[in-house]
Amino acid sequence: MKNPIVPTDPGVTRQVLAENADLMLVAFRFEAGAKGKLHNHPHVQATYVESGRFVFSIDGAEQDLGPGDSLIIPSQARHGCVCLEAGTLIDTFTPRRADFL
C-alpha cells in the first residue's frame, strides 16, 4: 500500500516510504526557497540528497549539499534546511517517527 503525500512546511511534502518499529524511510520534496524549520527530535536521522541543492544547519554549523551527498544528524541536534534548488531528500529515522504515522 502506498502511503499518502502530506504537506509539512510551506513548499514541502512528506511521504513515508517504508517503516517498522526500528526504522523509517521518508521522502521529503521541496520547492525552491522552501525551508525545513529548525527542530530537534530523539531519533538519529540520516539524510541523502536525491536531487536539488540544500543548505543544512546542524547545531549552528552550515553545510551545502547537492545530489548524492548525505549526512547524519545526531539525536537531539537542532537542525533544519533551506532548499536552494527544488529537490528531494530521502531521510531515515531510527527508531521510527510515530508522529509521521
Side-chain angles (χ1 to χ4, degrees):
M1 179 176 163
K2 190 171 182 177
N3 291 306
I5 296 171
V6 298
T8 58
D9 295 314
V12 183
T13 63
R14 174 183 74 222
Q15 183 180 27
V16 174
L17 302 176
E19 57 86 19
N20 70 21
D22 299 318
L23 185 67
M24 177 177 268
L25 183 66
V26 182
F28 286 90
R29 294 174 183 92
F30 285 76
E31 297 174 4
K35 297 178 182 180
K37 65 184 173 196
L38 286 172
H39 65 287
N40 67 320
H41 45 72
H43 315 83
V44 174
Q45 176 179 335
T47 296
Y48 171 78
V49 180
E50 180 178 79
S51 61
R53 294 214 61 83
F54 298 83
V55 175
F56 274 82
S57 174
I58 302 172
D59 284 338
E62 289 192 349
Q63 296 182 48
D64 294 334
L65 298 172
D69 291 336
S70 59
L71 54 79
I72 298 287
I73 301 169
S75 175
Q76 297 301 346
R78 189 158 175 77
H79 62 282
C81 68
V82 176
C83 179
L84 303 177
E85 296 175 12
T88 300
L89 301 175
I90 304 297
D91 290 352
T92 57
F93 299 94
T94 183
R96 84 172 150 208
R97 300 268 315 243
D99 57 325
F100 286 3
L101 297 175

